Amino acid sequence: MKIVAAEFVTSATKPSQYPPQSLPEIAFAGRSNVGKSSLINVLVNRKRLVKTSSTPGRTQLVNFFDINESIGFVDLPGYGYARVPASIKKKWGPMIETYLSGRNTLKGVVVILDIRRTPREEEHNLVAWLEHNSIARILVLTKSDKLSKTKQIKQHAAVARSLDMDANDLILFSAKSRKGRERVWQAIEHLLAKA
């Protein structure tokens, strides 16, 4: 995918604040500090389209981006980070679920996991919820550059086993080396072509 334009559109907490449903949308979901912002920035060849932070839990709204005036990228709040106030955390679940269950232009969700961690309850719940609601998903294992080749293979298999999935369905990604960028785009284009 050749990126000609990538722009921030708006942030929202509820459907009345969402942009009009005109473009097919791909949402990005994952635990806080999993490398979601870095993944989106690498996909669109921008250094700072999505703000990255060393402090997890910064994305607290549903953020909409326009890519090439043909696709919407939607950055969902990260989940599972302990230092965010409980009142904010409580709002995230319903905010994410409201977007995912009610957006007709949603074509799929990129579920982002850190390859160094075994999926926890939140990840299992999200994958199961998407499956139950017949929402297509692309699973991406970020931070692959942090592990040796041998550990990558071992962890890749462990995550696949934990999620009861074929390891080939989990894309290894590194924001540093850009490894996996083309595979993620191919998977996104495949979902958009089904539309």
Side-chain angles (χ1 to χ4, degrees):
M1 168 76 68
K2 186 172 192 295
I3 306 299
V4 181
E7 297 178 351
F8 171 72
V9 178
T10 191
S11 293
T13 57
K14 54 188 181 212
S16 62
Q17 299 168 336
Y18 298 169
Q21 300 194 63
S22 53
L23 298 177
E25 289 175 349
I26 298 291
F28 292 79
R31 178 176 288 282
S32 294
N33 207 25
V34 79
K36 189 160 41 84
S37 304
S38 299
L39 169 65
I40 297 171
N41 286 335
V42 167
L43 287 175
V44 300
N45 287 327
R46 298 291 187 275
K47 282 205 164 66
R48 284 185 287 275
L49 177 71
V50 184
K51 289 185 179 73
T52 56
S53 170
S54 54
T55 311
R58 282 284 184 226
T59 306
Q60 297 180 5
L61 304 165
V62 179
N63 294 311
F64 292 84
F65 300 88
D66 181 326
I67 313 303
N68 285 355
E69 295 182 5
S70 61
I71 311 165
F73 273 9
V74 183
D75 183 11
L76 299 172
Y79 51 82
Y81 189 62
R83 288 194 202 151
V84 172
S87 59
I88 291 173
K89 238 198 253 183
K90 260 190 206 146
K91 291 175 189 162
W92 284 354
M95 201 191 302
I96 293 168
E97 199 170 314
T98 299
Y99 168 78
L100 292 175
S101 59
R103 196 70 170 162
N104 296 330
T105 44
L106 178 67
K107 299 304 171 197
V109 178
V110 178
V111 178
I112 304 148
L113 304 117
D114 184 330
I115 191 170
R116 301 168 300 172
R117 317 263 177 264
T118 305
R120 294 188 210 155
E121 188 181 359
E122 289 101 338
E123 283 92 357
H124 284 281
N125 290 347
L126 176 60
V127 170
W129 190 89
L130 292 171
E131 200 167 313
H132 177 75
N133 288 279
S134 304
I135 297 171
R137 65 202 196 286
I138 299 165
L139 275 93
V140 177
L141 300 180
T142 56
K143 308 194 181 188
S144 63
D145 55 278
K146 308 265 189 201
L147 298 179
S148 67
K149 281 271 187 281
T150 311
K151 281 201 171 142
Q152 264 183 42
I153 293 164
K154 195 176 162 194
Q155 269 303 104
H156 192 175
V159 173
R161 261 195 319 276
S162 171
L163 294 170
D164 197 22
M165 293 178 73
D166 187 320
N168 293 324
D169 294 335
L170 300 169
I171 302 171
L172 291 181
F173 178 83
S174 161
K176 200 173 176 184
S177 69
R178 299 166 69 87
K179 171 188 177 168
R181 180 182 184 271
E182 294 314 313
R183 269 199 72 196
V184 176
W185 264 120
Q186 282 165 8
I188 288 172
E189 286 169 341
H190 178 70
L191 293 186
L192 296 173
K194 281 177 162 179

